[in-house]
Amino acid sequence: MATISFRSNEYSHFILILFSISFLLLLFFFLSPLNQNFNTSIDHLITFNNTQTNKTNAQLFSLLDNISLPPTLPPSLPPQPMPIEEVYVDKNSHSSNISHVKKIPSHVQRIEADLVSARAAIRKAIRERNYTSNKKENFIPRGSVSYIEMEKRFKIWAYREGEHPLVHIGPMKHIYAVEGQFIDEFESRKSPFLARSPYEAHAFFLPMSVTNIVEFIYLPITTYDRDRLVRIFADYVGVVANKYPFWNQSSGADHFMVSCHDWGPQISRDDPKLYKNFIRVLCNANTSEGFNPERDVPLPELNLQPNHLTPPHYGQPPANRTILAFFAGGSHGDIRKRLFEHWKGKDDEIQVYEYLPKGQNYAQMMGQSKFCLCPSGYEVASPRVAESFYSGCVPVVISDHYALPFSDVLDWSQFSVQIPVEKIPEIKSILKNVSNRKYVRLQRGVMNVRRHFELHRPAKRFDVFHMILHSVWLRRLNIKL
């Protein structure tokens, strides 16, 4: 019995020694340089080549139940360390080669799972036609289900790198004001869409102001060469791409900028590969100059007066509008020159002015007109489109290659008239052929969509800021990392 007891005790010691050696080997493996090299940056493992487009149907017609928004976020939070990565093996591969192993960061998995849920909710609402709402709405744009999902989920990280006046601040008045107001909305730290951490963000905002770059770097303008603008913007992208993993995870596909300056599109001129997937939110949304409506976002141009977010509304009821069509503005660009050539001072019903006569009020004239002519100037966008909505005047968009704002959810044929440039001589006959019944319907549509072009601080549901974010949200839904 003693011998048996001794051998049993010896065997137990042997097992304990083996277990200790195994534990030390495992510990050495996890702390070794080999394993550290295995957990390298995902920059070269996840690129936009691995992304897939997931088309979602945004053509919806009603609003789901009201969703309460998150509370105000704290003023500042430092970037968090990179979350632990999870390793996934390609199950379709029969090889054990390391090239078939992808490392997906855990925060990317969480964000993508959230977007999958949003897409599923949208598809379910479409399939079941479940468009009920507890909130009374007098107008519902198409895409309301995706808007509700945006309110529930969408989080944006605004990068904090950079200093005034080129970053974090922009123009707050006049024709480029929407650029600065948008930047300031996020800089105020009060937006419910602001992420607490970059690792919970669905999208990333580069708060650079092209207008301020032009003002502080170029003025007084001695050259129109865009090289400095291009370099400054590319340098900022390089800073955030080197400091954080987010740009390289998607090749910029979940990043966006906002610019209303005419030079905004030029930032991607010299390096189209770098900005291939980057979302540009631009007033100058000219499809003939590289604007891509499937990736980029058209930005409404708003001419804000100092200390006024929205001009006064002088609009008259349809029966009291005595002017068929009205325009007053400078002779900027070929389209306006052609308009003046055919209509300036030549017709009492089509009232076209380069300079408004003394004693006439511009906003009141728009309020007395059935149709307001909105010809492009040097660039395609015009603040007269938004001004038409404020005045209850049906906008007549005279432009070629202009991607209209929010056209992914707003049907512009229901509240505007679009006339090609070559048909400028036919403006009167085209507008005369609009029946009174159709005009009343168009004018009612103008009144319905006006709120989508109004600016509020802080932003409100369905106002211009939230509509811009919704356009970015739709494009983010169509990207799968």
Side-chain angles (χ1 to χ4, degrees), residues 283-438:
C283 285
N284 190 10
N286 190 333
T287 57
S288 70
E289 297 178 356
F291 184 89
N292 181 357
E294 293 184 1
R295 176 199 62 202
D296 300 323
V297 174
L299 180 66
E301 189 169 283
L302 310 179
N303 189 5
L304 301 186
Q305 299 307 307
N307 303 318
H308 290 86
L309 294 180
T310 301
H313 299 164
Y314 291 114
Q316 298 292 319
N320 296 345
R321 294 178 180 263
T322 57
I323 303 172
L324 177 62
F326 167 76
F327 173 80
S331 180
H332 304 153
D334 294 337
I335 295 177
R336 293 191 186 180
K337 290 178 181 178
R338 191 168 181 178
L339 178 68
F340 289 152
E341 177 186 345
H342 287 279
W343 296 107
K344 179 182 174 183
K346 295 182 179 181
D347 195 289
D348 291 337
E349 293 185 283
I350 308 293
Q351 298 192 20
V352 174
Y353 303 93
E354 186 171 1
Y355 301 101
L356 201 60
K358 285 186 177 182
Q360 299 281 12
N361 182 286
Y362 177 78
Q364 289 180 349
M365 291 286 286
M366 296 187 79
Q368 297 168 10
S369 303
K370 290 185 175 180
F371 298 94
C372 290
L373 306 182
C374 304
S376 294
Y378 289 126
E379 305 298 345
V380 291
S382 169
R384 284 163 185 80
V385 175
E387 292 167 352
S388 297
F389 294 136
Y390 303 151
S391 302
C393 183
V394 177
V396 179
V397 181
I398 306 172
S399 180
D400 289 331
H401 314 297
Y402 182 25
L404 292 165
F406 316 137
S407 54
D408 39 14
V409 290
L410 297 181
D411 183 358
W412 281 74
S413 68
Q414 301 300 308
F415 52 83
S416 72
V417 176
Q418 299 180 49
I419 297 180
V421 173
E422 65 268 17
K423 292 191 176 182
I424 285 178
E426 305 172 36
I427 286 177
K428 186 172 183 178
S429 61
I430 291 173
L431 298 182
K432 282 281 190 178
N433 285 332
V434 177
S435 67
N436 185 65
R437 182 177 180 180
K438 181 177 180 180

Side-chain angles (χ1 to χ4, degrees), residues 187-242:
E187 291 299 313
S188 71
R189 321 306 296 175
K190 295 179 181 179
S191 173
F193 296 101
L194 191 65
R196 297 174 183 271
S197 158
Y199 293 96
E200 70 174 23
H202 303 87
F204 301 85
F205 175 46
L206 277 61
M208 298 197 70
S209 172
V210 173
T211 302
N212 276 13
I213 292 174
V214 174
E215 179 177 352
F216 290 96
I217 301 297
Y218 281 84
L219 293 183
I221 292 181
T222 58
T223 175
Y224 287 92
D225 187 19
R226 314 294 204 263
D227 283 350
R228 284 177 288 178
L229 168 66
V230 171
R231 288 199 304 270
I232 290 170
F233 209 95
D235 286 347
Y236 190 83
V237 171
V239 167
V240 298
N242 288 327

Side-chain angles (χ1 to χ4, degrees), residues 36-243:
Q36 292 175 16
N37 291 334
F38 188 71
N39 286 319
T40 54
S41 170
I42 62 169
D43 296 358
H44 66 288
L45 296 175
I46 300 179
T47 67
F48 194 73
N49 293 331
N50 293 327
T51 62
Q52 300 175 0
T53 300
N54 190 343
K55 298 295 182 182
T56 56
N57 187 345
Q59 311 307 308
L60 312 171
F61 299 92
S62 291
L63 186 67
L64 292 179
D65 296 337
N66 184 28
I67 304 298
S68 59
L69 297 179
T72 301
L73 298 177
S76 179
L77 283 169
Q80 297 180 0
M82 183 70 174
I84 298 174
E85 297 178 353
E86 299 177 17
V87 180
Y88 294 87
V89 179
D90 186 354
K91 295 181 179 180
N92 296 322
S93 172
H94 299 288
S95 170
S96 60
N97 193 298
I98 193 69
S99 64
H100 293 288
V101 178
K102 290 197 298 185
K103 296 189 295 179
I104 309 296
S106 58
H107 74 279
V108 173
Q109 290 293 309
R110 290 193 300 271
I111 292 299
E112 287 303 311
D114 195 34
L115 293 173
V116 167
S117 298
R119 296 182 192 110
I122 294 170
R123 291 195 186 99
K124 181 179 179 181
I126 297 170
R127 185 173 59 252
E128 298 179 357
R129 308 190 71 82
N130 180 15
Y131 307 138
T132 58
S133 174
N134 292 332
K135 183 175 175 128
K136 183 178 179 181
E137 297 283 350
N138 58 6
F139 177 72
I140 306 301
R142 298 175 299 174
S144 295
V145 175
S146 60
Y147 184 96
I148 293 300
E149 290 300 315
M150 176 190 76
E151 287 186 320
K152 290 170 58 178
R153 307 172 188 273
F154 199 28
K155 294 298 178 185
I156 296 169
W157 178 257
Y159 283 112
R160 300 177 183 178
E161 285 65 31
E163 298 178 355
H164 292 181
L166 307 186
V167 192
H168 307 296
I169 191 173
M172 303 292 282
K173 57 186 178 180
H174 303 314
I175 61 172
Y176 301 139
V178 69
E179 175 182 315
Q181 293 283 352
F182 188 94
I183 293 172
D184 191 66
E185 176 75 7
F186 276 90
E187 291 299 313
S188 71
R189 321 306 296 175
K190 295 179 181 179
S191 173
F193 296 101
L194 191 65
R196 297 174 183 271
S197 158
Y199 293 96
E200 70 174 23
H202 303 87
F204 301 85
F205 175 46
L206 277 61
M208 298 197 70
S209 172
V210 173
T211 302
N212 276 13
I213 292 174
V214 174
E215 179 177 352
F216 290 96
I217 301 297
Y218 281 84
L219 293 183
I221 292 181
T222 58
T223 175
Y224 287 92
D225 187 19
R226 314 294 204 263
D227 283 350
R228 284 177 288 178
L229 168 66
V230 171
R231 288 199 304 270
I232 290 170
F233 209 95
D235 286 347
Y236 190 83
V237 171
V239 167
V240 298
N242 288 327
K243 186 174 182 180

